[in-house]
Amino acid sequence: VPNRRCRVIAVTGARGGAGATSLAAALAVTGARGGRQVLLIDADPLGGGIDLALGLEDRSGPRWPALAATAPGPAPLGGLPAMRPGGRGRLVVLSHDRDRPVRPETAELTTLLDEAGRTTDLVVVDLPRWPGSGLSAVAERADLALLIVPAEVRACAAAAAQARALGGCPDVRLVVRGPAPGGLDAASAAAAIGLPLAGWLRPEPGLAAALERGEPPGSRRRGPLASLCRELLDEQLPGGP
Ligand SMILES: Nc1ncnc2c1ncn2[C@@H]1O[C@H](COP(=O)(O)OP(=O)(O)OP(=O)(O)O)[C@@H](O)[C@H]1O
Ligand SMILES: [Mg+2]
């Protein structure tokens, strides 16, 4: 019986380095810290492996090529690298292998989403920006698609096209990330792009250095990332685990 409460959240960025991977990882960490069973799917073969962003790079367990090799059939999610950021929650991670990047077939991604729904409360997908990466197919299956855009004019211009690629999702929202070098505010960005606003994300203090140390984004409970993620997850998965 599919887990009816399972929510799928897709995250993508309006430009390179927008903060999509950090936001996806923070959502997954926050969800697991809140006691939920979470699967984080790295759908960006050229991102260097999302395991590295979580400090899980030395954990054994399948990455994309190994998992893809087992298809067709149910994906063996049980053996994936996992962490317990607190309580009874658990975060399992399907990362790319930085030494052997493969491009997952769209069907592999969608099968995985269907399969994961049986055992998890929350699936977060870190999507790359380019077309043909499963962007639209994942968006169609997502309950919520978040497009993160730095508060910059050029990033907002790029976001409009990315928003169209996410059009199959019934709930596409914008996360506008500071700083705003020219003073662009979130409401103006949202109006220009034509998407509702999920939130304004203040720059996370020390995030770049934390990533270097292998500390997962969202680890600082009072930080802007964790606060926004809690707000979104309380809305998507009301009532807790
Ligand atoms: N919320 C944030 N607050 C402050 N800095 C951030 C934030 N998100 C991202 N950054 C900075 O931007 C860098 C890139 O972030 P991240 O890898 O999450 O972006 P991305 O959109 O996934 O990039 P890519 O285009 O490579 O996929 C981080 O290393 C960090 O320095
Ligand atoms: Mg990324």
Side-chain angles (χ1 to χ4, degrees):
V1 180
N3 180 352
R4 293 193 176 280
R5 292 182 310 142
C6 179
R7 283 287 181 282
V8 176
I9 304 181
V11 183
T12 189
R15 68 148 162 83
T21 297
S22 301
L23 178 59
L27 278 165
V29 166
T30 306
R33 202 165 49 211
R36 297 163 178 119
Q37 305 301 310
V38 184
L39 169 66
L40 175 61
I41 301 177
D42 177 6
D44 184 357
L46 301 180
I50 207 167
D51 54 351
L52 199 48
L54 294 159
L56 292 176
E57 67 276 14
D58 293 332
R59 298 286 178 87
S60 58
R63 269 61 173 177
W64 259 117
L67 197 93
T70 66
L77 299 179
L80 292 174
M83 60 192 286
R84 288 188 183 276
R88 285 188 301 183
R90 187 161 178 265
L91 164 57
V92 301
V93 180
L94 175 54
S95 179
H96 274 283
D97 181 338
R98 64 207 125 260
D99 298 325
R100 281 194 301 158
V102 292
R103 194 164 113 179
E105 298 295 330
T106 299
E108 286 174 318
L109 271 170
T110 54
T111 304
L112 188 62
L113 289 181
D114 295 341
E115 194 58 38
R118 296 173 193 277
T119 52
T120 58
D121 303 313
L122 171 69
V123 181
V124 182
V125 190
D126 177 24
L127 285 166
R129 291 177 301 125
W130 27 277
S133 57
L135 196 66
S136 301
V138 171
E140 279 171 22
R141 281 165 179 77
D143 299 286
L144 172 65
L146 295 173
L147 175 55
I148 179 165
V149 57
E152 301 162 1
V153 171
R154 290 180 61 225
C156 289
Q162 193 74 337
R164 283 194 290 279
L166 297 170
C169 178
D171 188 3
V172 185
R173 287 184 244 168
L174 203 62
V175 173
V176 184
R177 169 163 89 80
L184 187 65
D185 64 272
S188 306
I193 296 162
L195 284 178
L197 199 60
W200 164 264
L201 194 56
R202 281 186 291 115
E204 182 82 13
L207 178 66
L211 282 166
E212 294 296 290
R213 292 192 298 267
E215 285 168 27
S219 293
R220 284 182 61 246
R221 287 166 194 246
R222 292 179 170 216
L225 267 173
S227 302
L228 177 65
C229 291
R230 266 196 308 273
E231 197 182 296
L232 288 168
L233 293 177
D234 286 348
E235 172 209 284
Q236 291 293 309
L237 292 159

